[in-house]
């Protein structure tokens, strides 16, 4: 018992040190500031970004030569360069891959017509720096500012940040590529002078199909839809081969109407690879564009890289292991690379059960994403998966108990029991310190 108590004291000291040596503290601190990429911000009651995320915000995998994420970016950019040429046979699209991931709520949400009560704004889903800034949750956040700056055809590539579960397909930072193409009446209809882009007429809605925006003429809408879909099917074929099976699925986004997802059939299942649509005309008028109609799309680079290179675990993209990185050194972008797994080391599984304090039993004050961030912050990439395996409310006391299963596995070596035990105890201590939970 005494032995256990002295161990806990030691672990607490470690935990204090762990958090003291980094720029942010484990507990939210309302008076403090936070520094990310050399910029300092005031913390407030919205701040939920952790040290781990601040560190990840410094890497630039999408522009690191030979990195698989960068290879997929290059393949897509090259496809756009060769598909869209101006009259002098130069690429029409320009590429922005170096924009700061720190954006305002106005950029990430308001400029894209995302309503105040939209779930994507929730604190449980985004990494907020404070009430004014966050780490972008999608590269779409930059569309409006680039259009306002006068661009008509552009791609945006960058790292994006979302609070999510921990498993082989999710990581709090991943990479997206967005595209925008705007066309004037003359560009869309060439010599057909009597056709118009805009008309306040909705007689041409397709029965049962996705609805065009009222302000667009049927001809303008159909030509844009056609160009968007042929471009994206061409892209899917470029990436997955000419034989790829694909299908369009209707969906909705606040910034496009109509909106679609493109799915490809891969490994015996339908896989959603991108979202797209005809841009909301009010998004364009809000940034001063009155004479153009636009299409746009956005896709995630990790998902495509995982398929193309047969990479099973998303953490590998962040690995410095040369056994992984050297497999992508081939300079020929078109050559198929199939990643050969570096040896799989054994898993080590531990459960953690705790009572929530009474003031946190409602779902608003504690969510699983809070716990996942704590695990990431303490254990980093040692954790392969976290699962909520049990929850119940005590019938008499009304107290709520949660049990999470934490699956530890290092990607490059076998973990010892001793080190996993230590990390697991650090997680228990951090959970009781940060959330006031009682470990069972
Ligand atoms: N931003 C969307 C997402 O992260 C993807 C997206 C959909 C981007 C439609 C677009 C678009 O530019 O037009 O899920």
């Amino acid at each position: 018992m005494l032995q256990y108590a002295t161990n806990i004291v030691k672990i607490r000291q470690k935990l204090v040190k762990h958090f003291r040596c980094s720029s942010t503290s484990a507990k939210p601190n309302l008076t403090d500031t936070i520094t990310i990429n050399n910029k300092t911000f005031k913390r407030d009651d919205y701040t939920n970004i952790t040290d781990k995320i601040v560190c990840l915000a410094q890497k630039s995998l999408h522009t690191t030569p030979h990195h698989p994420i960068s290879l997929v970016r290059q393949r897509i950019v090259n496809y756009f360069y060769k598909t869209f040429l101006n009259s002098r046979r130069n690429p029409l699209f320009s590429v922005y891959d170096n924009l700061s991931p720190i954006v305002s709520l106005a950029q990430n949400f308001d400029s894209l017509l995302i309503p105040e009560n939209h779930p994507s704004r929730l604190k449980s889903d985004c990494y907020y720096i404070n009430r004014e800034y966050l780490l972008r949750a999608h590269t779409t956040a930059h569309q409006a500012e680039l259009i306002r700056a006068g661009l008509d055809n552009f791609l945006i590539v960058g790292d994006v940040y979302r609070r999510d579960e921990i498993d082989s397909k999710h990581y709090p930072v991943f990479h997206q590529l967005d595209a925008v193409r705007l066309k004037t009446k003359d560009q869309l209809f060439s010599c057909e002078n009597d056709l118009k882009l805009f008309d306040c007429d909705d007689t041409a809605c397709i029965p049962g199909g996705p609805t065009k925006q009222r302000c667009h003429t049927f001809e303008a809408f159909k030509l844009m839809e056609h160009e968007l879909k042929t471009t994206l099917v061409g892209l899917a074929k470029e990436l997955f081969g000419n034989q790829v099976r694909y299908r369009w699925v209707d969906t909705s986004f606040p910034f496009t109407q109509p909106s679609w997802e493109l799915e490809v059939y891969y490994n015996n299942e339908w896989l959603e690879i991108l979202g797209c649509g005809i841009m909301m005309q009010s998004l364009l008028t809000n940034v001063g564009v009155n004479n153009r109609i636009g299409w746009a799309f956005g896709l995630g680079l990790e998902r495509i890289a995982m398929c193309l290179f047969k990479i099973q675990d998303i953490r590998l993209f962040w690995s410095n292991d040369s056994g992984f990185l050297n497999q992508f050194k081939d300079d020929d972008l078109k050559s198929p690379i199939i990643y050969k797994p570096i040896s799989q080391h054994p898993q080590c599984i531990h459960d953690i059960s705790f009572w929530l304090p009474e003031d946190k039993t409602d779902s608003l004050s504690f969510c699983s994403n809070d716990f996942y961030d704590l695990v990431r912050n303490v254990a980093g990439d040692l954790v392969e998966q976290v699962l909520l395996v049990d929850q119940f409310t005590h019938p008499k006391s009304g107290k709520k108990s949660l049990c999470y299963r934490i699956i530890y596995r290092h990607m490059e070596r076998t973990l010892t029991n001793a080190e996993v035990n230590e990390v697991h105890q650090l997680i228990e201590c951090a959970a009781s310190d940060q959330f006031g939970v009682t470990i069972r």
Side-chain angles (χ1 to χ4, degrees), residues 137-138 140 143 162 176 178-179 253 255-256 275-277 296-299:
H138 51 181
T140 321
Q143 283 189 0
R162 289 193 202 167
Q176 285 190 331
D178 260 64
F253 298 107
F255 31 93
T256 48
C276 66
F297 75 85
L299 54 77

Side-chain angles (χ1 to χ4, degrees), residues 61-73:
L61 302 185
H62 61 288
T63 54
T64 302
H66 306 296
H67 192 280
I69 296 297
S70 175
L71 295 180
V72 176
R73 168 190 59 88

Side-chain angles (χ1 to χ4, degrees), residues 120-138:
S120 65
R121 292 188 185 238
L122 284 175
K123 233 179 120 175
S124 58
D125 288 30
C126 297
Y127 285 106
Y128 281 98
I129 298 169
N130 54 33
R131 280 184 172 264
E132 212 180 328
Y133 294 100
L134 74 161
L135 291 177
R136 64 185 164 217
H138 51 181

Side-chain angles (χ1 to χ4, degrees), residues 108 112 114 137-141 143 156 160 162 174 176-180 228 251-261 272 274-280 283 295-300:
N108 200 80
L112 293 164
I114 299 176
H138 51 181
T139 40
T140 321
Q143 283 189 0
I156 310 159
V160 300
R162 289 193 202 167
F174 57 102
Q176 285 190 331
L177 181 146
D178 260 64
V180 166
L228 170 64
T251 186
S252 74
F253 298 107
F255 31 93
T256 48
Q257 191 189 325
S259 311
W260 301 276
E261 279 165 358
E272 177 226 312
L274 59 84
C276 66
I278 306 299
M279 296 180 78
M280 289 301 276
L283 190 163
W295 57 249
F297 75 85
L299 54 77

Side-chain angles (χ1 to χ4, degrees), residues 37-183:
N37 295 352
N38 297 326
K39 289 201 196 90
T40 302
F41 299 85
K42 254 208 158 94
R43 286 170 177 277
D44 63 24
D45 58 329
Y46 251 58
T47 312
N48 63 3
I49 179 167
T50 61
D51 290 342
K52 168 85 180 160
I53 302 301
V54 173
C55 287
L56 295 174
Q58 332 267 341
K59 318 232 169 167
S60 181
L61 302 185
H62 61 288
T63 54
T64 302
H66 306 296
H67 192 280
I69 296 297
S70 175
L71 295 180
V72 176
R73 168 190 59 88
Q74 273 175 278
R75 287 190 190 188
I76 300 173
V77 167
N78 287 351
Y79 169 77
F80 273 83
Y81 280 169
K82 74 172 187 214
T83 308
F84 293 95
L85 297 168
N86 67 14
S87 54
R88 287 155 57 202
R89 306 210 59 75
N90 289 321
L92 204 55
F93 277 76
S94 47
V95 180
Y96 296 83
D97 58 13
N98 200 15
L99 300 172
S100 168
I102 301 169
V103 297
S104 62
L105 274 70
Q107 287 171 290
N108 200 80
F109 302 116
D110 305 341
S111 74
L112 293 164
L113 316 171
I114 299 176
E116 285 294 332
N117 59 356
H118 196 271
S120 65
R121 292 188 185 238
L122 284 175
K123 233 179 120 175
S124 58
D125 288 30
C126 297
Y127 285 106
Y128 281 98
I129 298 169
N130 54 33
R131 280 184 172 264
E132 212 180 328
Y133 294 100
L134 74 161
L135 291 177
R136 64 185 164 217
H138 51 181
T139 40
T140 321
H142 301 285
Q143 283 189 0
E145 77 205 52
L146 294 178
I147 295 169
R148 191 193 287 279
L151 298 173
D152 283 340
N153 301 284
F154 58 89
L155 305 175
I156 310 159
V157 196
D159 35 348
V160 300
Y161 298 76
R162 289 193 202 167
R163 301 184 75 200
D164 219 323
E165 51 221 73
I166 300 185
D167 65 27
S168 65
K169 301 237 156 49
H170 293 92
Y171 204 75
V173 190
F174 57 102
H175 297 81
Q176 285 190 331
L177 181 146
D178 260 64
V180 166
R181 172 147 167 82
L182 304 184
K183 292 180 104 168

